[in-house]
Amino acid sequence: ANFADGTIASLPDQASRMALNAPADMDGMFIAAAQADEVPADAKLGLGREALAEEIAVWDIDVRPDGTGLPEGSGDVMTGEEIFVESCAVCHGDFGEGVGRWPVLTGGFNSLTKDRPVKTTGSYWPYLSTVYDYINRAMPFGNAQSLQPDDVYAITAYLLYMNDLVDEDFTLSRENFAGVEMPNAEGFYMDDRAETEIPVFTGEPCMEACKDTVEITMRAAVLDVTPDETAAAEAAADTAEDEAAAPESEAAPDAAPASESDGHAAIDPALVEAGEKVFKKCKACHQIGDGAKNRTGPQLNNVVGREVAAVDGFKYSKTLDAMEGVWDEEALSAFLANPKAYAKGTRMSFAGLRKPEDLAAIIAYMKAAGQ
Amino acid sequence: AGDPAITQIQPWMQELGDGVDVAPYGKPSEYEDQVIRRTVEWLTADPVSSINFTPLHDLDGIITPNGLCFERHHGGAAHIDPAEHRLMINGLVDTPLVFTMEDIMRFPRENHVYFLECAANSGMEWRGAQLNGCQFTHGMIHNVMYTGVPLRLLLNEAGIKSEGKWILPEGADAAAMTRSIPMEKALDDCLVAFKMNGEALRVEQGYPLRLVVPGWEGNMWIKWLRRIEVGDKPWHHREETSKYTDLFPDGKARRFTWEMDAKSVITSPSPQAPITHGPGPLVIKGLAWSGRGTIPRVDVTIDGGKTWAQARMSGPSLDKSMHAFYLDIKWDGQPLYLQSRAHDSTGYVQPTKQALREIRGVNSIYHNNGIQTWYVNEQGVAENVEVS
């Protein structure tokens, strides 16, 4: 006998029980008619609850070109520059010129018809409201929705200034916002494919003797920009071979006592796990573990016990460059609890970890993950 | 001597295999470990605001497995506890409402298979052949069955005021993604989905709740959906002005180019899927889709467009879904210049890249649905080329 025999044997029982339990009149229980393909369009079900005004106020932050949604507040160019240098320049550059592949925010005027257009807030964005809305909802990257309205007005004013659209004594506010005209406001038009393309691309195409010759005019291989997995795999294989070639005696079992003799206490796995969650706040800018690279922030391998500002190839703030000492647990805790207070001028735009247990957890995680 | 695969007893025949408790959530065979999403590192500044690509060359049929659906996010993939998730509907409605996930699950639901294509799919190919592999040239797409609540039911529950002509869906991720969508589309076929291919949405696809906007560019399918505002005008937010607008040679840009034009690609042979078996029977396989309907027909050429044959369509033909096509040929071992050309149910025929460039130039980034060419040499090696 196999399992199926048992299933079949119990079926009649189940079926009769289901029939017995069925209510005499089921019609009233159906929301939609049993035969209908779609649910009715106009039936309200009374689900959900009314949103409170104070809840809507917190979530409804969007701003429109006509200024709808702008909060009370104002900010001037000079204040904006201070905030920008501290919180934005690490990715966008001190003058909005863009670092690495992060977005360029300034310039690009008269480039839209060129071979390589530069689309910036100044050269391309049609509405200032979009600048305010986006900074307010998504910036600084990795610390979104941490800015106050005055800060957002100030950064927006500074971007206008860097794009030569206002003078250095300009103050942006809800009152004068709608008066700022963006250079490319008239640069957009509605999708017109229905008129300009669809008629051209409709109709029976050629099936036979459509052309005389076929020549290759361009090959992707010439550019050679496809990710090279073979090379990456070979590198990984080399590493694996090195590890395999290492004498048995150097393998894992001996490693634990060795690190204990270095004075490191055994790491609590639960704390490490908790720390991994806390580290999510850092991941936008920092990498840790195998192959960790410098990103917006330096890679964090062996950061616990590492000298301050010691990672090659990372451009630290003047503050950190000037600091002496090592990141021991005490120093790291103080820094991560309030980065701006511990190292005034640091480029790390992170508000800080308020809970002592988060600090302990993240340090445990960095120790474990960064070895 | 016979084939050792036959003449020798294989270990998997002799020894016992895994018990049913080995993998409570199953994984593909270990021999399929090359079938993965891949990224192109130089495309973006950082992996948290980036994209990866579906391995179309390794897949078949029309359904994309959940773990292989390409990812694109702008502030990382948010991990959200469904118990802490809320969906708010506010703005020009009779009663602003808040729903829990439990509330959402009590609305009548529907199942639909739809493709989701990033507007930038094939966007690196505007200036010419650049990436060797259909995963990279066409892999910003996936096709799954969604289970969700028709958006019109949720909007109706709040009561749309007569001046409400647009909606602004918003994500709960660190990008707080927003897009403006006209009310006509919102009431037509949009879904608020919580399942894909039968299971909960994957984290990277917006768990626990995402908007489904059939046939329209992927950026509008707001993930981690937490709020829908009803308004009388569009918002012109970052992703519909600075991004996802199509710049033309005259310096002006098309905006609100929502619909995805009909498109197709041969997924094998292709650069990542060369012919390894030599001359003889060869399966040419591909995918086609249109944001405006179904795909009744795909033409395939093996000589770079001198002559075309109609491919064989296989599998269900669903509105705004991927369609699978095949051309079964006897390969003579001579070079192939493979192309496919989709026809959609409106009569639109997929254009050549050159025909698109004549209208749009090469700087529009988005909506490149031009015909793709793979050159396959005598050894069966395929590469991405353009032909006269």
PDB file of all heavy atoms in Angstrom, chain A residues 39 46 49 62 101 115 124 130 137 187 197 201 215 217 226 229, chain B residues 38 42 98 108 127 132 157 170 227 229 245 253 349 360 386 388:
ATOM      1  N   VAL A  39     -15.216  40.906 -10.177  1.00  0.00           N
ATOM      2  CA  VAL A  39     -15.898  41.377  -8.977  1.00  0.00           C
ATOM      3  C   VAL A  39     -16.697  42.629  -9.321  1.00  0.00           C
ATOM      4  O   VAL A  39     -16.334  43.361 -10.226  1.00  0.00           O
ATOM      5  CB  VAL A  39     -14.871  41.690  -7.876  1.00  0.00           C
ATOM      6  CG1 VAL A  39     -14.210  40.421  -7.419  1.00  0.00           C
ATOM      7  CG2 VAL A  39     -13.865  42.681  -8.369  1.00  0.00           C
ATOM      8  N   GLY A  46     -16.771  48.343   3.303  1.00  0.00           N
ATOM      9  CA  GLY A  46     -16.604  48.839   4.671  1.00  0.00           C
ATOM     10  C   GLY A  46     -15.308  48.401   5.311  1.00  0.00           C
ATOM     11  O   GLY A  46     -15.204  48.319   6.529  1.00  0.00           O
ATOM     12  N   ARG A  49     -10.051  51.799   7.779  1.00  0.00           N
ATOM     13  CA  ARG A  49     -10.584  52.801   8.718  1.00  0.00           C
ATOM     14  C   ARG A  49     -10.222  54.184   8.200  1.00  0.00           C
ATOM     15  O   ARG A  49      -9.340  54.323   7.354  1.00  0.00           O
ATOM     16  CB  ARG A  49      -9.990  52.599  10.114  1.00  0.00           C
ATOM     17  CG  ARG A  49      -8.483  52.810  10.162  1.00  0.00           C
ATOM     18  CD  ARG A  49      -7.999  53.098  11.587  1.00  0.00           C
ATOM     19  NE  ARG A  49      -6.540  53.163  11.629  1.00  0.00           N
ATOM     20  CZ  ARG A  49      -5.837  54.267  11.390  1.00  0.00           C
ATOM     21  NH1 ARG A  49      -6.443  55.398  11.078  1.00  0.00           N
ATOM     22  NH2 ARG A  49      -4.514  54.247  11.451  1.00  0.00           N
ATOM     23  N   ASP A  62       4.118  65.243  -0.624  1.00  0.00           N
ATOM     24  CA  ASP A  62       4.431  65.539  -2.025  1.00  0.00           C
ATOM     25  C   ASP A  62       4.149  66.994  -2.387  1.00  0.00           C
ATOM     26  O   ASP A  62       3.259  67.629  -1.838  1.00  0.00           O
ATOM     27  CB  ASP A  62       3.668  64.600  -2.958  1.00  0.00           C
ATOM     28  CG  ASP A  62       2.197  64.519  -2.600  1.00  0.00           C
ATOM     29  OD1 ASP A  62       1.441  65.411  -2.988  1.00  0.00           O
ATOM     30  OD2 ASP A  62       1.822  63.550  -1.895  1.00  0.00           O
ATOM     31  N   ARG A 101      29.969  57.934 -10.325  1.00  0.00           N
ATOM     32  CA  ARG A 101      28.780  57.892 -11.176  1.00  0.00           C
ATOM     33  C   ARG A 101      27.558  58.504 -10.495  1.00  0.00           C
ATOM     34  O   ARG A 101      26.434  58.362 -10.973  1.00  0.00           O
ATOM     35  CB  ARG A 101      28.482  56.456 -11.609  1.00  0.00           C
ATOM     36  CG  ARG A 101      29.523  55.931 -12.562  1.00  0.00           C
ATOM     37  CD  ARG A 101      29.157  54.592 -13.150  1.00  0.00           C
ATOM     38  NE  ARG A 101      30.072  54.249 -14.220  1.00  0.00           N
ATOM     39  CZ  ARG A 101      29.890  54.624 -15.490  1.00  0.00           C
ATOM     40  NH1 ARG A 101      28.833  55.304 -15.842  1.00  0.00           N
ATOM     41  NH2 ARG A 101      30.783  54.308 -16.400  1.00  0.00           N
ATOM     42  N   ASP A 115      25.969  65.934 -28.617  1.00  0.00           N
ATOM     43  CA  ASP A 115      26.176  64.492 -28.709  1.00  0.00           C
ATOM     44  C   ASP A 115      26.059  63.824 -27.327  1.00  0.00           C
ATOM     45  O   ASP A 115      25.531  62.730 -27.206  1.00  0.00           O
ATOM     46  CB  ASP A 115      27.560  64.224 -29.318  1.00  0.00           C
ATOM     47  CG  ASP A 115      27.777  62.739 -29.574  1.00  0.00           C
ATOM     48  OD1 ASP A 115      26.820  62.092 -30.056  1.00  0.00           O
ATOM     49  OD2 ASP A 115      28.873  62.234 -29.293  1.00  0.00           O
ATOM     50  N   TYR A 124      17.975  70.619 -17.198  1.00  0.00           N
ATOM     51  CA  TYR A 124      16.937  69.701 -17.671  1.00  0.00           C
ATOM     52  C   TYR A 124      15.648  69.739 -16.864  1.00  0.00           C
ATOM     53  O   TYR A 124      14.568  69.661 -17.416  1.00  0.00           O
ATOM     54  CB  TYR A 124      17.505  68.284 -17.693  1.00  0.00           C
ATOM     55  CG  TYR A 124      16.675  67.282 -18.471  1.00  0.00           C
ATOM     56  CD1 TYR A 124      16.515  67.411 -19.854  1.00  0.00           C
ATOM     57  CD2 TYR A 124      16.059  66.203 -17.842  1.00  0.00           C
ATOM     58  CE1 TYR A 124      15.753  66.494 -20.578  1.00  0.00           C
ATOM     59  CE2 TYR A 124      15.300  65.279 -18.558  1.00  0.00           C
ATOM     60  CZ  TYR A 124      15.160  65.429 -19.925  1.00  0.00           C
ATOM     61  OH  TYR A 124      14.419  64.515 -20.642  1.00  0.00           O
ATOM     62  N   THR A 130      10.039  69.869  -8.193  1.00  0.00           N
ATOM     63  CA  THR A 130      10.588  68.514  -8.264  1.00  0.00           C
ATOM     64  C   THR A 130      11.870  68.417  -7.442  1.00  0.00           C
ATOM     65  O   THR A 130      12.135  67.402  -6.804  1.00  0.00           O
ATOM     66  CB  THR A 130      10.868  68.146  -9.734  1.00  0.00           C
ATOM     67  OG1 THR A 130       9.740  68.510 -10.532  1.00  0.00           O
ATOM     68  CG2 THR A 130      11.134  66.667  -9.886  1.00  0.00           C
ATOM     69  N   ARG A 137      12.045  63.933   0.028  1.00  0.00           N
ATOM     70  CA  ARG A 137      11.579  62.557   0.238  1.00  0.00           C
ATOM     71  C   ARG A 137      12.716  61.536   0.241  1.00  0.00           C
ATOM     72  O   ARG A 137      12.595  60.479   0.852  1.00  0.00           O
ATOM     73  CB  ARG A 137      10.531  62.167  -0.803  1.00  0.00           C
ATOM     74  CG  ARG A 137      11.011  61.937  -2.226  1.00  0.00           C
ATOM     75  CD  ARG A 137       9.896  61.405  -3.140  1.00  0.00           C
ATOM     76  NE  ARG A 137       8.705  62.226  -3.064  1.00  0.00           N
ATOM     77  CZ  ARG A 137       7.565  61.810  -2.506  1.00  0.00           C
ATOM     78  NH1 ARG A 137       7.457  60.590  -2.038  1.00  0.00           N
ATOM     79  NH2 ARG A 137       6.539  62.617  -2.471  1.00  0.00           N
ATOM     80  N   GLY A 187      10.678  72.476 -22.118  1.00  0.00           N
ATOM     81  CA  GLY A 187      11.412  71.473 -22.880  1.00  0.00           C
ATOM     82  C   GLY A 187      10.727  70.128 -23.030  1.00  0.00           C
ATOM     83  O   GLY A 187      11.340  69.186 -23.536  1.00  0.00           O
ATOM     84  N   GLU A 197       4.592  57.728 -34.637  1.00  0.00           N
ATOM     85  CA  GLU A 197       5.269  56.445 -34.812  1.00  0.00           C
ATOM     86  C   GLU A 197       4.342  55.296 -35.182  1.00  0.00           C
ATOM     87  O   GLU A 197       4.654  54.513 -36.085  1.00  0.00           O
ATOM     88  CB  GLU A 197       6.049  56.073 -33.527  1.00  0.00           C
ATOM     89  CG  GLU A 197       7.209  57.003 -33.264  1.00  0.00           C
ATOM     90  CD  GLU A 197       8.078  56.544 -32.100  1.00  0.00           C
ATOM     91  OE1 GLU A 197       7.861  55.440 -31.568  1.00  0.00           O
ATOM     92  OE2 GLU A 197       8.986  57.305 -31.721  1.00  0.00           O
ATOM     93  N   PHE A 201       4.853  52.493 -38.120  1.00  0.00           N
ATOM     94  CA  PHE A 201       5.263  51.126 -37.778  1.00  0.00           C
ATOM     95  C   PHE A 201       4.101  50.131 -37.856  1.00  0.00           C
ATOM     96  O   PHE A 201       4.112  49.103 -37.181  1.00  0.00           O
ATOM     97  CB  PHE A 201       5.889  51.093 -36.379  1.00  0.00           C
ATOM     98  CG  PHE A 201       7.122  51.958 -36.244  1.00  0.00           C
ATOM     99  CD1 PHE A 201       7.436  52.567 -35.041  1.00  0.00           C
ATOM    100  CD2 PHE A 201       7.978  52.153 -37.325  1.00  0.00           C
ATOM    101  CE1 PHE A 201       8.571  53.358 -34.906  1.00  0.00           C
ATOM    102  CE2 PHE A 201       9.119  52.949 -37.204  1.00  0.00           C
ATOM    103  CZ  PHE A 201       9.414  53.556 -35.995  1.00  0.00           C
ATOM    104  N   GLU A 215      25.570  43.229 -44.342  1.00  0.00           N
ATOM    105  CA  GLU A 215      26.938  43.376 -43.828  1.00  0.00           C
ATOM    106  C   GLU A 215      26.866  43.758 -42.353  1.00  0.00           C
ATOM    107  O   GLU A 215      25.985  44.518 -41.950  1.00  0.00           O
ATOM    108  CB  GLU A 215      27.676  44.508 -44.573  1.00  0.00           C
ATOM    109  CG  GLU A 215      27.759  44.340 -46.081  1.00  0.00           C
ATOM    110  CD  GLU A 215      28.721  43.237 -46.484  1.00  0.00           C
ATOM    111  OE1 GLU A 215      29.621  42.929 -45.681  1.00  0.00           O
ATOM    112  OE2 GLU A 215      28.533  42.676 -47.581  1.00  0.00           O
ATOM    113  N   THR A 217      27.745  45.980 -39.443  1.00  0.00           N
ATOM    114  CA  THR A 217      28.200  47.373 -39.355  1.00  0.00           C
ATOM    115  C   THR A 217      28.763  47.711 -37.980  1.00  0.00           C
ATOM    116  O   THR A 217      29.421  48.729 -37.808  1.00  0.00           O
ATOM    117  CB  THR A 217      27.029  48.329 -39.641  1.00  0.00           C
ATOM    118  OG1 THR A 217      25.955  48.023 -38.743  1.00  0.00           O
ATOM    119  CG2 THR A 217      26.545  48.169 -41.078  1.00  0.00           C
ATOM    120  N   THR A 226      30.927  44.097 -21.808  1.00  0.00           N
ATOM    121  CA  THR A 226      30.102  43.082 -21.158  1.00  0.00           C
ATOM    122  C   THR A 226      30.844  42.553 -19.929  1.00  0.00           C
ATOM    123  O   THR A 226      32.045  42.323 -20.013  1.00  0.00           O
ATOM    124  CB  THR A 226      29.824  41.918 -22.132  1.00  0.00           C
ATOM    125  OG1 THR A 226      29.373  42.472 -23.369  1.00  0.00           O
ATOM    126  CG2 THR A 226      28.789  40.964 -21.577  1.00  0.00           C
ATOM    127  N   GLU A 229      32.599  37.363 -16.836  1.00  0.00           N
ATOM    128  CA  GLU A 229      32.406  36.399 -15.757  1.00  0.00           C
ATOM    129  C   GLU A 229      33.544  35.372 -15.722  1.00  0.00           C
ATOM    130  O   GLU A 229      33.921  34.876 -14.683  1.00  0.00           O
ATOM    131  CB  GLU A 229      31.077  35.689 -15.938  1.00  0.00           C
ATOM    132  CG  GLU A 229      30.452  35.275 -14.633  1.00  0.00           C
ATOM    133  CD  GLU A 229      28.974  35.027 -14.813  1.00  0.00           C
ATOM    134  OE1 GLU A 229      28.206  36.000 -14.892  1.00  0.00           O
ATOM    135  OE2 GLU A 229      28.607  33.871 -14.881  1.00  0.00           O
TER     136      GLU A 229
ATOM    137  N   ARG B  38      22.274  38.830 -13.230  1.00  0.00           N
ATOM    138  CA  ARG B  38      23.614  39.424 -13.287  1.00  0.00           C
ATOM    139  C   ARG B  38      23.497  40.944 -13.371  1.00  0.00           C
ATOM    140  O   ARG B  38      22.489  41.464 -13.830  1.00  0.00           O
ATOM    141  CB  ARG B  38      24.374  38.898 -14.507  1.00  0.00           C
ATOM    142  CG  ARG B  38      24.768  37.439 -14.402  1.00  0.00           C
ATOM    143  CD  ARG B  38      25.504  36.940 -15.634  1.00  0.00           C
ATOM    144  NE  ARG B  38      25.982  35.581 -15.432  1.00  0.00           N
ATOM    145  CZ  ARG B  38      25.230  34.483 -15.603  1.00  0.00           C
ATOM    146  NH1 ARG B  38      23.977  34.599 -16.005  1.00  0.00           N
ATOM    147  NH2 ARG B  38      25.728  33.289 -15.385  1.00  0.00           N
ATOM    148  N   TRP B  42      29.374  48.908 -14.205  1.00  0.00           N
ATOM    149  CA  TRP B  42      29.688  50.283 -14.610  1.00  0.00           C
ATOM    150  C   TRP B  42      28.450  51.127 -14.874  1.00  0.00           C
ATOM    151  O   TRP B  42      28.552  52.330 -15.073  1.00  0.00           O
ATOM    152  CB  TRP B  42      30.606  50.301 -15.834  1.00  0.00           C
ATOM    153  CG  TRP B  42      30.134  49.481 -17.003  1.00  0.00           C
ATOM    154  CD1 TRP B  42      30.494  48.205 -17.311  1.00  0.00           C
ATOM    155  CD2 TRP B  42      29.202  49.882 -18.030  1.00  0.00           C
ATOM    156  NE1 TRP B  42      29.855  47.776 -18.454  1.00  0.00           N
ATOM    157  CE2 TRP B  42      29.051  48.786 -18.921  1.00  0.00           C
ATOM    158  CE3 TRP B  42      28.482  51.050 -18.288  1.00  0.00           C
ATOM    159  CZ2 TRP B  42      28.218  48.816 -20.038  1.00  0.00           C
ATOM    160  CZ3 TRP B  42      27.650  51.084 -19.402  1.00  0.00           C
ATOM    161  CH2 TRP B  42      27.524  49.979 -20.271  1.00  0.00           C
ATOM    162  N   VAL B  98      -7.203  54.085   5.686  1.00  0.00           N
ATOM    163  CA  VAL B  98      -5.983  53.332   5.960  1.00  0.00           C
ATOM    164  C   VAL B  98      -6.350  51.849   5.972  1.00  0.00           C
ATOM    165  O   VAL B  98      -7.311  51.456   6.618  1.00  0.00           O
ATOM    166  CB  VAL B  98      -5.381  53.718   7.330  1.00  0.00           C
ATOM    167  CG1 VAL B  98      -4.216  52.790   7.672  1.00  0.00           C
ATOM    168  CG2 VAL B  98      -4.927  55.162   7.333  1.00  0.00           C
ATOM    169  N   PRO B 108     -12.141  41.286  -2.872  1.00  0.00           N
ATOM    170  CA  PRO B 108     -12.099  40.304  -3.961  1.00  0.00           C
ATOM    171  C   PRO B 108     -10.811  40.463  -4.766  1.00  0.00           C
ATOM    172  O   PRO B 108     -10.363  41.585  -4.981  1.00  0.00           O
ATOM    173  CB  PRO B 108     -13.316  40.671  -4.819  1.00  0.00           C
ATOM    174  CG  PRO B 108     -14.229  41.407  -3.896  1.00  0.00           C
ATOM    175  CD  PRO B 108     -13.335  42.145  -2.940  1.00  0.00           C
ATOM    176  N   ARG B 127      23.223  53.648 -29.252  1.00  0.00           N
ATOM    177  CA  ARG B 127      24.293  54.095 -30.151  1.00  0.00           C
ATOM    178  C   ARG B 127      24.891  52.933 -30.929  1.00  0.00           C
ATOM    179  O   ARG B 127      25.790  53.142 -31.741  1.00  0.00           O
ATOM    180  CB  ARG B 127      25.386  54.790 -29.349  1.00  0.00           C
ATOM    181  CG  ARG B 127      24.986  56.159 -28.876  1.00  0.00           C
ATOM    182  CD  ARG B 127      25.969  56.711 -27.854  1.00  0.00           C
ATOM    183  NE  ARG B 127      25.509  58.016 -27.419  1.00  0.00           N
ATOM    184  CZ  ARG B 127      25.891  59.166 -27.985  1.00  0.00           C
ATOM    185  NH1 ARG B 127      26.740  59.172 -28.976  1.00  0.00           N
ATOM    186  NH2 ARG B 127      25.410  60.314 -27.541  1.00  0.00           N
ATOM    187  N   ASN B 132      27.206  41.954 -24.903  1.00  0.00           N
ATOM    188  CA  ASN B 132      27.113  40.631 -25.512  1.00  0.00           C
ATOM    189  C   ASN B 132      26.303  39.674 -24.649  1.00  0.00           C
ATOM    190  O   ASN B 132      26.838  38.990 -23.790  1.00  0.00           O
ATOM    191  CB  ASN B 132      28.514  40.069 -25.763  1.00  0.00           C
ATOM    192  CG  ASN B 132      28.857  40.116 -27.240  1.00  0.00           C
ATOM    193  OD1 ASN B 132      27.978  39.959 -28.095  1.00  0.00           O
ATOM    194  ND2 ASN B 132      30.118  40.339 -27.550  1.00  0.00           N
ATOM    195  N   GLU B 157     -13.627  52.307  -2.542  1.00  0.00           N
ATOM    196  CA  GLU B 157     -13.897  52.207  -1.110  1.00  0.00           C
ATOM    197  C   GLU B 157     -13.736  53.587  -0.441  1.00  0.00           C
ATOM    198  O   GLU B 157     -14.477  53.925   0.466  1.00  0.00           O
ATOM    199  CB  GLU B 157     -12.938  51.187  -0.483  1.00  0.00           C
ATOM    200  CG  GLU B 157     -13.295  50.718   0.903  1.00  0.00           C
ATOM    201  CD  GLU B 157     -14.499  49.771   0.951  1.00  0.00           C
ATOM    202  OE1 GLU B 157     -14.905  49.256  -0.096  1.00  0.00           O
ATOM    203  OE2 GLU B 157     -15.037  49.590   2.055  1.00  0.00           O
ATOM    204  N   GLU B 170       2.876  55.794  -3.923  1.00  0.00           N
ATOM    205  CA  GLU B 170       4.141  56.092  -3.251  1.00  0.00           C
ATOM    206  C   GLU B 170       4.659  54.846  -2.537  1.00  0.00           C
ATOM    207  O   GLU B 170       3.886  54.126  -1.915  1.00  0.00           O
ATOM    208  CB  GLU B 170       3.915  57.214  -2.233  1.00  0.00           C
ATOM    209  CG  GLU B 170       5.155  57.628  -1.455  1.00  0.00           C
ATOM    210  CD  GLU B 170       4.821  58.711  -0.439  1.00  0.00           C
ATOM    211  OE1 GLU B 170       4.158  58.382   0.568  1.00  0.00           O
ATOM    212  OE2 GLU B 170       5.189  59.870  -0.656  1.00  0.00           O
ATOM    213  N   ARG B 227       1.011  54.321  -0.058  1.00  0.00           N
ATOM    214  CA  ARG B 227       0.061  55.431  -0.118  1.00  0.00           C
ATOM    215  C   ARG B 227      -0.347  55.685  -1.553  1.00  0.00           C
ATOM    216  O   ARG B 227       0.452  55.501  -2.478  1.00  0.00           O
ATOM    217  CB  ARG B 227       0.703  56.702   0.458  1.00  0.00           C
ATOM    218  CG  ARG B 227      -0.266  57.859   0.648  1.00  0.00           C
ATOM    219  CD  ARG B 227       0.406  58.998   1.427  1.00  0.00           C
ATOM    220  NE  ARG B 227       1.394  59.709   0.623  1.00  0.00           N
ATOM    221  CZ  ARG B 227       1.136  60.822  -0.057  1.00  0.00           C
ATOM    222  NH1 ARG B 227      -0.066  61.364  -0.034  1.00  0.00           N
ATOM    223  NH2 ARG B 227       2.087  61.409  -0.770  1.00  0.00           N
ATOM    224  N   GLU B 229      -2.354  58.839  -3.431  1.00  0.00           N
ATOM    225  CA  GLU B 229      -3.055  60.120  -3.314  1.00  0.00           C
ATOM    226  C   GLU B 229      -3.834  60.364  -4.591  1.00  0.00           C
ATOM    227  O   GLU B 229      -3.351  60.096  -5.696  1.00  0.00           O
ATOM    228  CB  GLU B 229      -2.039  61.253  -3.086  1.00  0.00           C
ATOM    229  CG  GLU B 229      -2.719  62.601  -2.883  1.00  0.00           C
ATOM    230  CD  GLU B 229      -1.756  63.697  -2.408  1.00  0.00           C
ATOM    231  OE1 GLU B 229      -0.655  63.335  -1.938  1.00  0.00           O
ATOM    232  OE2 GLU B 229      -2.114  64.876  -2.523  1.00  0.00           O
ATOM    233  N   THR B 245      11.993  60.327 -19.155  1.00  0.00           N
ATOM    234  CA  THR B 245      11.553  61.200 -20.240  1.00  0.00           C
ATOM    235  C   THR B 245      12.545  60.971 -21.369  1.00  0.00           C
ATOM    236  O   THR B 245      13.714  60.668 -21.121  1.00  0.00           O
ATOM    237  CB  THR B 245      11.554  62.684 -19.819  1.00  0.00           C
ATOM    238  OG1 THR B 245      12.807  62.994 -19.192  1.00  0.00           O
ATOM    239  CG2 THR B 245      10.427  62.974 -18.840  1.00  0.00           C
ATOM    240  N   ALA B 253      12.032  66.917 -24.954  1.00  0.00           N
ATOM    241  CA  ALA B 253      11.869  65.547 -24.461  1.00  0.00           C
ATOM    242  C   ALA B 253      10.400  65.165 -24.394  1.00  0.00           C
ATOM    243  O   ALA B 253       9.554  65.959 -23.989  1.00  0.00           O
ATOM    244  CB  ALA B 253      12.507  65.407 -23.077  1.00  0.00           C
ATOM    245  N   VAL B 349       4.036  46.780 -35.860  1.00  0.00           N
ATOM    246  CA  VAL B 349       5.124  45.857 -36.165  1.00  0.00           C
ATOM    247  C   VAL B 349       6.423  46.426 -35.597  1.00  0.00           C
ATOM    248  O   VAL B 349       6.748  47.602 -35.819  1.00  0.00           O
ATOM    249  CB  VAL B 349       5.271  45.655 -37.690  1.00  0.00           C
ATOM    250  CG1 VAL B 349       6.376  44.641 -37.983  1.00  0.00           C
ATOM    251  CG2 VAL B 349       3.957  45.196 -38.297  1.00  0.00           C
ATOM    252  N   ARG B 360      14.018  59.236 -33.274  1.00  0.00           N
ATOM    253  CA  ARG B 360      14.333  59.631 -31.894  1.00  0.00           C
ATOM    254  C   ARG B 360      15.786  60.006 -31.632  1.00  0.00           C
ATOM    255  O   ARG B 360      16.111  60.451 -30.531  1.00  0.00           O
ATOM    256  CB  ARG B 360      13.977  58.479 -30.943  1.00  0.00           C
ATOM    257  CG  ARG B 360      12.532  58.009 -31.053  1.00  0.00           C
ATOM    258  CD  ARG B 360      12.253  57.027 -29.946  1.00  0.00           C
ATOM    259  NE  ARG B 360      11.037  56.254 -30.174  1.00  0.00           N
ATOM    260  CZ  ARG B 360      10.724  55.152 -29.485  1.00  0.00           C
ATOM    261  NH1 ARG B 360      11.546  54.714 -28.547  1.00  0.00           N
ATOM    262  NH2 ARG B 360       9.617  54.496 -29.732  1.00  0.00           N
ATOM    263  N   GLU B 386      25.165  44.767 -35.301  1.00  0.00           N
ATOM    264  CA  GLU B 386      24.157  45.439 -36.119  1.00  0.00           C
ATOM    265  C   GLU B 386      24.522  45.204 -37.573  1.00  0.00           C
ATOM    266  O   GLU B 386      25.711  45.088 -37.907  1.00  0.00           O
ATOM    267  CB  GLU B 386      24.121  46.931 -35.799  1.00  0.00           C
ATOM    268  CG  GLU B 386      23.603  47.162 -34.401  1.00  0.00           C
ATOM    269  CD  GLU B 386      22.995  48.536 -34.194  1.00  0.00           C
ATOM    270  OE1 GLU B 386      22.808  49.277 -35.176  1.00  0.00           O
ATOM    271  OE2 GLU B 386      22.730  48.853 -33.030  1.00  0.00           O
ATOM    272  N   SER B 388      23.659  45.937 -41.946  1.00  0.00           N
ATOM    273  CA  SER B 388      23.139  46.914 -42.915  1.00  0.00           C
ATOM    274  C   SER B 388      21.739  46.479 -43.359  1.00  0.00           C
ATOM    275  O   SER B 388      21.397  45.311 -43.281  1.00  0.00           O
ATOM    276  CB  SER B 388      24.064  46.987 -44.117  1.00  0.00           C
ATOM    277  OG  SER B 388      24.229  45.712 -44.688  1.00  0.00           O
TER     278      SER B 388
END
